[in-house]
Amino acid sequence: MYRYLIQTGSSVGLFIFCCLLPSSLLFLAMQKPWKGRPLSNQQVVPSIINGVITALYFSMWGKGLKSCGPVRTILAEYAGAVLGVLSAALYGQGKHLWKKVGGLVAMMLSFYLLSRGWAMGTHSPFDILFCSKLNLKLRSKENLDAEAHPEEILGMKDMIVPIIAGILSALRRVIARRVSLKNQLKRRLHAITITSATCFLFPVAMWDFITGSTSDSTSQLPFSAWAFGSFILFGVILVFYVDSIAEERLHMVFSSPRHLMVAGGCMIILEIFYQMDFSLPGFLLCCIILGFGIYEATALERGKKGTQHFDSPEEMLDDMKSPLPT
């Protein structure tokens, strides 16, 4: 998807809409939310509102991917752990707030290092000083496709879009979990959420199409079976079922250090396979700092008897007895 958006210059909103439309139809066909036990308004209305958040998430995630690259965008999605700091402030966890603030500072440090190119081979100080021979083995600079469109050093302001997308991702997971805890009902409501997101993205996609067709810029949306098919299959459909299985059977939820460890390993393999501008030592350093920040931001009363540690901000908010703030 990143290479497709960079090479074609296509509209992110139009691309996301064209992927969500068949995905919503597949979810509706598989889950059939109109069948079975009738859904109450207390379940349908939050799911529709969650669709608005999902539409904003996909839009900002796509814009962040186009401007920041895949490594920065995927790691920035773990910014949803800041909800752990917010929950501590809202629910009176004042004596542990400083630990969560420390975790938040560590996360911001990781995002700053990512924005300065520490995870990229052309800008990482590790590659410049120590790892030039290792980089030559991992990727040949003659065949490096990313050299045609090298990722640049960014500022923290450029990371705001993917960071906000990460917070929206965590928020939509919290709402989905609060609405229903039963698997079958959760799948039916998720079909409504994706359909709602598709409907809310329709005017945005049409606006991009109309403004693009009246300007001198590229107005067409070239078709790429792999770009569209992979995002529909992996980015919308399978990610929901895989996350559900990982959460229910493996107890591995999103925005947790364990999830980051698995995702980081997959990212290393894909970065090397696609011959991207990648620095392994810099990437590992950013992941370690980010994982430490997530661990501290989601920890509660660690170090005492009966201590409790939450794997994600979603679990922390679920454990609270009072409802979510409006």
Side-chain angles (χ1 to χ4, degrees), residues 1-4 7 70-71 74 138-149 151 224-231 234 266-278:
M1 177 180 172
Y2 171 70
R3 289 187 173 181
Y4 174 84
Q7 293 173 1
V71 171
I74 295 175
L138 293 178
R139 58 182 180 90
S140 59
K141 292 187 178 181
E142 296 79 10
N143 298 328
L144 186 61
D145 184 62
E147 294 287 18
H149 302 281
E151 297 182 38
S224 172
W226 177 241
F228 284 89
S230 62
F231 186 76
F234 298 107
C266 296
M267 291 170 63
I268 291 174
I269 295 174
L270 290 176
E271 285 288 309
I272 296 176
F273 177 78
Y274 278 98
Q275 296 184 338
M276 301 293 287
D277 189 10
F278 181 65

Side-chain angles (χ1 to χ4, degrees), residues 19-322:
C19 292
L20 285 184
L21 181 59
S23 301
S24 62
L25 295 177
L26 287 174
F27 273 119
L28 291 174
M30 290 187 296
Q31 303 303 331
K32 298 179 176 62
W34 57 87
K35 289 187 176 182
R37 183 178 179 180
L39 301 173
S40 63
N41 291 334
Q42 288 78 9
Q43 295 170 329
V44 175
V45 174
S47 297
I48 295 177
I49 297 175
N50 204 14
V52 182
I53 299 176
T54 302
L56 291 174
Y57 156 71
F58 275 119
S59 298
M60 302 196 76
W61 189 88
K63 293 182 182 297
L65 175 66
K66 190 174 182 179
S67 61
C68 300
V71 171
R72 292 163 173 161
T73 305
I74 295 175
L75 291 182
E77 200 165 354
Y78 290 89
V82 301
L83 292 181
V85 182
L86 178 62
S87 65
L90 291 178
Y91 295 104
Q93 306 291 336
K95 58 182 179 180
H96 302 286
L97 183 59
W98 67 272
K99 291 185 178 181
K100 299 180 181 301
V101 173
L104 179 61
V105 172
M107 292 170 59
M108 291 299 104
L109 175 61
S110 175
F111 295 146
Y112 174 77
L113 296 179
L114 286 171
S115 68
R116 303 307 297 174
W118 281 50
M120 295 183 296
T122 54
H123 301 291
S124 174
F126 293 100
D127 283 27
I128 295 174
L129 297 176
F130 305 111
C131 301
S132 58
K133 293 183 179 181
L134 177 62
N135 257 357
L136 289 175
K137 293 180 180 180
L138 293 178
R139 58 182 180 90
S140 59
K141 292 187 178 181
E142 296 79 10
N143 298 328
L144 186 61
D145 184 62
E147 294 287 18
H149 302 281
E151 297 182 38
E152 301 177 354
I153 295 179
L154 306 175
M156 278 300 293
K157 64 179 181 179
D158 300 302
M159 293 287 294
I160 292 178
V161 172
I163 288 175
I164 294 177
I167 297 175
L168 291 175
S169 176
L171 183 59
R172 70 189 182 97
R173 294 171 190 271
V174 170
I175 295 177
R177 183 179 293 183
R178 294 289 249 172
V179 172
S180 174
L181 296 177
K182 295 182 179 180
N183 296 336
Q184 188 62 33
L185 189 57
K186 186 188 299 183
R187 294 169 183 172
R188 294 169 63 192
L189 293 175
H190 183 74
I192 297 177
T193 298
I194 295 297
T195 304
S196 173
T198 306
C199 295
F200 281 105
L201 272 180
F202 175 75
V204 178
M206 291 300 100
W207 175 260
D208 289 344
F209 179 78
I210 294 173
T211 56
S213 61
T214 56
S215 64
D216 296 333
S217 59
T218 304
S219 60
Q220 298 179 350
L221 188 68
F223 179 75
S224 172
W226 177 241
F228 284 89
S230 62
F231 186 76
I232 292 172
L233 181 62
F234 298 107
V236 183
I237 298 177
L238 282 184
V239 67
F240 170 72
Y241 295 102
V242 171
D243 277 351
S244 298
I245 295 174
E247 180 178 341
E248 296 159 8
R249 300 185 180 181
L250 303 178
H251 303 289
M252 182 187 298
V253 295
F254 199 83
S255 294
S256 65
R258 288 189 297 172
H259 193 286
L260 175 62
M261 181 176 62
V262 176
C266 296
M267 291 170 63
I268 291 174
I269 295 174
L270 290 176
E271 285 288 309
I272 296 176
F273 177 78
Y274 278 98
Q275 296 184 338
M276 301 293 287
D277 189 10
F278 181 65
S279 169
L280 180 60
F283 175 80
L284 291 177
L285 176 63
C286 294
C287 285
I288 291 173
I289 298 175
L290 180 60
F292 172 78
I294 294 173
Y295 183 78
E296 290 296 327
T298 57
L300 183 62
E301 297 186 10
R302 191 168 56 249
K304 297 181 180 180
K305 289 184 178 181
T307 58
Q308 195 171 3
H309 182 276
F310 295 100
D311 286 330
S312 74
E314 293 93 334
E315 282 191 351
M316 177 178 295
L317 286 173
D318 287 338
D319 186 73
M320 305 299 181
K321 298 301 181 182
S322 55

